[in-house]
Amino acid sequence: MADGGLPVVARFDVRHRNYLAPDGSINRPLPAFASDADLLTALYRAMMLLRNFDRKAVALQRTGRLGTYAVSLGQEAVSVGIASAMRAEDVLLPSYRDNGALIWRGVKLEEILLFWGGDERGNHFSGPIEDFPFCVPVGSQAPHSAGVAYAFKLRKQPRVAVCMFGDGATSKGDVYEAMNFAGVHKLPVVFVATNNQWAISVPLRLQTGCETLAQKAIAAGFIGEQVDGSDVVAMRAAAEDAISAARDGRGPRFIEAVTYRLGDHTTSDDALRYRSAEEVQARWKEEPIARLRSYLVGQKMWSKAEEEQLAAECHERVEAAVERYLATEPRRPESMFDHLYADLPGVYAAQRRELAGEGDA
Amino acid sequence: MPEMTLVEAVNLALARAMEDDPDVVVLGEDVGINGGVFRATVGLQARFGSERVLDTPLAELLISGLCVGMAAQGLKPVGEIQFMGFLYPCIDQLVNHASRIRNRTRGRITCPMVLRTPHGAGIRAPEHHSESTEAMLAHIPGLRVVIPSSPERAYGLLLAAIRDPDPVVFLEPTRIYRAAKGEVEDNGEALPLDVAFVLRQGRDVTLISWGAMLKETMAAADALAAEGVAAEVIDLATLKPYDEATVLGSVAKTGRCVIVHEATRTGGFGAEIAALIAERGLTSLLAPVARVTGYDTVIPMARLEQHMMPSVDRIVTAARRACQFS
């Protein structure tokens, strides 16, 4: 009996998952997949590629060859860990900072550059063609993921929708409405909140009064788990569990990936305006790539020679993508009408002709 | 052919679409066992099951967002919003996602959804239940905005909207849900979208309207006929994209135009039509284009709402003035 002798009708708990400590040592026995050196090094390679890609993208932006760009610095383990647990036929609904997940799923680097370079063709990407493009209006992709998952359930397809968003998005009704519906219908959807501590300049403590974001799943009727988002082994393990539960008809899950955005919000942001260099410096000790490298090296799964080779590979791959991006022929202005409707209504066809310089509208 | 009301025609079209295409899914608040607050979905859940006729939680943004996700997977969701005043949480989804996902993915992902909602005043409903903000929707690129004005057109246009490969907002004229009756054949035939219907031929003045307001507009045409004025009446039916050729052709014939809508005047869809005529039909005009509209005020509650809506008298007066100009 609780206070006043009233009965307790429900109790909840929120668990936290972590395997690798910041120094690369292990806190508890690793999941089975971690004995697969090829898989672990693939995760490492993907995170390294993402970091290299980010660095180059920022350089392009600074030299006027790319638009505003959102780096993943410090949170590479989230998108790589999640995507690595998905099947090709699952559907990803990413936020604008989930480049790592897109790349893992086969989207070409030059397509991502095209998107950030201001060209819609970047959203007509390789890889799973049913995956959604980056969602810019925060959290508004969450209802889409519930709709996608509802279609899977209606058609009895063993597929899972994976919806990614940031900590700020959890303050929006969109996310709650989607989670609530997913809980009602036990939909095959996994919600992933990347809690990088900052929604542009607003810290988590001003974003929510909750102790965790994971507990928001409790209100929607399913399991929310907090995961060390700088530990790619934990991210992969949590994603595997959540995605397989969803695929098996056990309903949705929520993963709060607790990590830290080491970079600015975007290239248009200066994070020093709202947080100290000391805070960021301290967080560098926890970042995911050095952490996994320490573990791999300690396990003799990774060598200095492999590291050097990887660096060269990443450089080559990114540079080649940049070349292809910069060499992409511009579109004709009137192509902005090309996919407005399935068939362009006559009244807009006239506007298209006007834009093409083919007479008056 | 059986005679039925407009809302019954909506129901008939939904049933026909669901029967013909297993991908059609109906969703919304109270659309299941209750059959919708206006009974537009009555009987559908019993016939097609609760997976395809889905009672959603009370969350309008969710309904529109679910439609986007379902449509991206090739379903043909038909969402219902109970009243237009509750549509506004859906605007984010309509503007940012439904209307543009085809464009921003260069055709990789499409959105064949329909969002239905009652439209307009005149049923003595509570606050927020009498909106007619179609101009706001018609401003959104990539969307279709359709308003039927009879049971026959409700049936045919709704079938067209559901079969259309792009998102359609389908505005149902609340005031004539039951007042409008007509014969509807359940033949599965759609009517064309993007096309205006000429309800009455005339040589003296063009009256353009849509939805429930056509009732007053047709009555005005009758009154004008009694005075020897032959009014041509156009039901615009699709507001986005709208049939410019029919409008311009009619004005070229009559030289005079009165646009009638219930929505407030400033920035209303009548302004768009007047601008079109000014740009491309000016030389045929014999009188200024007139608008008979709702006033630029918040829609009054039941006791005053009829004073906001254009009356037959206001329409006749405007048409008479146009005919007597110069």
Side-chain angles (χ1 to χ4, degrees):
Chain A
M1 292 299 209
D3 289 350
L6 299 175
V8 173
V9 295
R11 285 185 201 280
F12 306 97
D13 56 18
V14 175
R15 292 167 195 272
H16 179 87
R17 190 193 298 245
N18 160 264
Y19 300 97
L20 295 181
D23 65 0
S25 61
I26 59 172
N27 288 328
R28 63 193 190 93
L30 301 188
F33 71 79
S35 59
D36 180 347
D38 287 347
L39 175 55
L40 281 198
T41 52
L43 296 172
Y44 180 72
R45 286 167 180 278
M47 292 197 293
M48 279 294 280
L49 176 64
L50 178 56
R51 189 163 290 184
N52 276 267
F53 179 73
D54 270 352
R55 199 180 295 131
K56 185 69 188 185
V58 172
L60 289 171
Q61 190 276 334
R62 297 293 186 233
T63 52
R65 290 175 293 171
L66 195 73
T68 300
Y69 180 79
V71 295
S72 301
L73 190 64
Q75 51 188 74
E76 293 89 346
V78 179
S79 58
V80 169
I82 293 290
S84 74
M86 293 175 69
R87 291 184 188 165
E89 68 267 27
D90 296 335
V91 166
L92 177 73
L93 298 102
S95 178
Y96 47 78
R97 206 187 299 283
D98 297 315
N99 289 321
L102 270 70
I103 296 168
W104 183 280
R105 286 176 67 72
V107 176
K108 292 177 185 162
L109 300 183
E110 58 266 33
E111 292 167 335
I112 294 173
L113 290 172
L114 266 180
F115 171 80
W116 293 102
D119 190 322
E120 286 86 355
R121 285 176 294 180
N123 280 334
H124 192 296
F125 50 58
S126 321
I129 58 163
E130 292 171 38
D131 279 8
F132 273 57
F134 292 119
C135 186
V136 175
V138 169
S140 60
Q141 75 275 37
H144 307 165
S145 70
V148 167
Y150 193 86
F152 293 162
K153 191 180 177 210
L154 188 71
R155 290 170 165 168
K156 301 185 170 40
Q157 296 172 331
R159 304 169 71 189
V160 179
V162 175
C163 185
M164 302 184 72
F165 42 77
D167 41 287
T170 64
S171 301
K172 288 194 67 178
D174 310 37
V175 170
Y176 175 71
E177 290 183 24
M179 287 171 59
N180 180 55
F181 180 79
V184 168
H185 292 279
K186 302 212 176 333
L187 298 183
V189 52
V190 176
F191 299 99
V192 182
T194 303
N195 174 5
N196 68 13
Q197 312 303 322
W198 293 91
I200 307 189
S201 70
V202 177
L204 190 69
R205 70 186 156 75
L206 296 181
Q207 200 65 244
T208 178
C210 289
E211 295 166 276
T212 70
L213 299 179
Q215 73 202 62
K216 298 198 172 201
I218 293 167
F222 51 90
I223 294 170
E225 180 184 16
Q226 200 177 63
V227 179
D228 185 334
S230 304
D231 172 3
V232 75
V233 175
M235 283 309 304
R236 157 96 190 189
E240 259 188 9
D241 287 355
I243 291 171
S244 68
R247 199 184 312 283
D248 296 347
R250 284 178 279 150
R253 294 279 187 95
F254 182 93
I255 293 171
E256 176 190 356
V258 184
T259 181
Y260 192 83
R261 161 161 63 78
L262 290 169
D264 295 329
H265 168 66
T266 65
T267 50
S268 303
D269 175 48
D270 175 11
L272 286 171
R273 289 166 59 91
Y274 50 82
R275 66 185 192 189
S276 70
E278 292 74 33
E279 175 186 317
V280 179
Q281 204 52 44
R283 292 289 194 151
W284 267 101
K285 296 192 179 76
E286 299 171 10
E287 66 97 3
I289 293 183
R291 184 184 302 210
L292 181 60
R293 186 193 301 125
S294 298
Y295 175 76
L296 291 174
V297 169
Q299 295 295 306
K300 308 272 187 272
M301 288 175 173
W302 193 249
S303 67
K304 198 177 170 189
E306 284 170 304
E307 181 75 17
E308 283 169 6
Q309 199 191 339
L310 175 62
E313 277 171 23
C314 287
H315 178 77
E316 197 180 320
R317 202 175 148 190
V318 170
E319 290 301 324
V322 170
E323 247 174 64
R324 287 190 293 270
Y325 159 64
L326 293 174
T328 305
E329 289 291 321
R331 287 179 292 157
R332 293 197 312 279
E334 64 271 25
S335 69
M336 70 176 72
F337 282 102
D338 284 354
H339 299 281
L340 191 59
Y341 297 88
D343 294 305
L344 190 65
V347 288
Y348 306 132
Q351 291 184 23
R352 188 184 191 280
R353 286 195 296 278
E354 179 189 343
L355 185 55
E358 298 165 6
D360 292 339
Chain B
M1 284 188 287
E3 180 162 277
M4 63 182 66
T5 64
L6 195 151
V7 73
E8 286 167 344
V10 167
N11 183 266
L12 193 66
L14 289 171
R16 164 61 70 164
M18 295 194 80
E19 187 69 47
D20 289 352
D21 184 351
D23 283 332
V24 176
V25 171
V26 167
L27 63 154
E29 297 157 16
D30 305 301
V31 299
I33 193 165
N34 197 37
V37 289
F38 286 101
R39 308 287 174 260
T41 57
V42 77
L44 297 179
Q45 192 178 64
R47 190 162 156 198
F48 299 104
S50 58
E51 282 195 316
R52 287 183 65 203
V53 183
L54 172 67
D55 273 323
T56 65
L58 205 162
E60 286 81 10
L61 183 162
L62 173 77
I63 293 168
S64 55
L66 283 173
C67 287
V68 174
M70 289 175 174
Q73 278 299 310
L75 294 181
K76 300 204 164 163
V78 184
E80 176 177 301
I81 303 299
Q82 290 188 340
F83 290 91
M84 197 164 185
F86 308 149
L87 179 81
Y88 307 114
C90 308
I91 296 293
D92 183 17
Q93 288 293 332
L94 292 173
V95 175
N96 283 320
H97 296 296
S99 64
R100 62 196 283 176
I101 195 158
R102 175 191 289 281
N103 190 267
R104 58 192 284 263
T105 65
R106 302 279 86 193
R108 185 170 61 82
I109 299 179
T110 62
C111 191
M113 65 178 272
V114 177
L115 200 61
R116 299 175 36 246
T117 191
H119 167 269
I123 59 161
R124 304 185 67 81
E127 261 192 303
H128 310 288
H129 288 62
S130 308
E131 314 301 301
S132 49
T133 39
E134 65 273 17
M136 187 176 68
L137 298 167
H139 196 61
I140 303 173
L143 208 60
R144 274 192 166 77
V145 179
V146 177
I147 310 184
S149 65
S150 72
E152 182 200 5
R153 287 188 288 285
Y155 177 84
L157 292 173
L158 183 52
L159 282 180
I162 294 168
R163 292 171 191 167
D164 192 83
D166 291 308
V168 179
V169 177
F170 197 78
L171 302 173
E172 296 168 4
T174 324
R175 186 157 57 87
I176 59 169
Y177 252 153
R178 294 197 172 77
K181 293 193 178 72
E183 290 186 344
V184 179
E185 189 182 351
D186 185 18
N187 54 11
E189 281 179 23
L191 286 169
L193 300 177
D194 312 350
V195 169
F197 299 88
V198 179
L199 301 187
R200 181 176 179 132
Q201 301 276 346
R203 64 181 185 279
D204 297 327
V205 58
T206 300
L207 307 180
I208 301 174
S209 192
W210 48 90
M213 220 61 238
L214 275 159
K215 191 178 169 199
E216 283 71 18
T217 305
M218 287 297 276
D222 285 341
L224 289 163
E227 299 175 10
V229 174
E232 182 145 302
V233 178
I234 294 176
D235 173 4
L236 207 56
T238 303
L239 268 60
K240 178 80 170 188
Y242 75 104
D243 184 349
E244 296 180 358
T246 295
V247 169
L248 291 169
S250 179
V251 174
K253 180 167 72 171
T254 64
R256 300 176 174 86
C257 183
V258 177
I259 304 155
V260 183
H261 64 65
E262 193 179 308
T264 55
R265 186 171 307 161
T266 305
F269 202 73
E272 164 59 38
I273 299 168
L276 172 81
I277 297 168
E279 282 177 348
R280 291 173 47 198
L282 188 66
T283 54
S284 54
L285 282 182
L286 303 170
V289 174
R291 286 180 289 166
V292 181
T293 71
Y295 298 106
D296 280 324
T297 172
V298 173
I299 298 164
M301 288 168 69
R303 292 186 178 184
L304 288 182
E305 65 178 344
Q306 73 273 24
H307 297 287
M308 159 121 180
M309 295 186 292
S311 62
V312 176
D313 274 357
R314 281 173 63 195
I315 301 167
V316 168
T317 302
R320 212 182 269 147
R321 196 174 291 147
C323 291
Q324 290 164 355
F325 188 84
S326 80

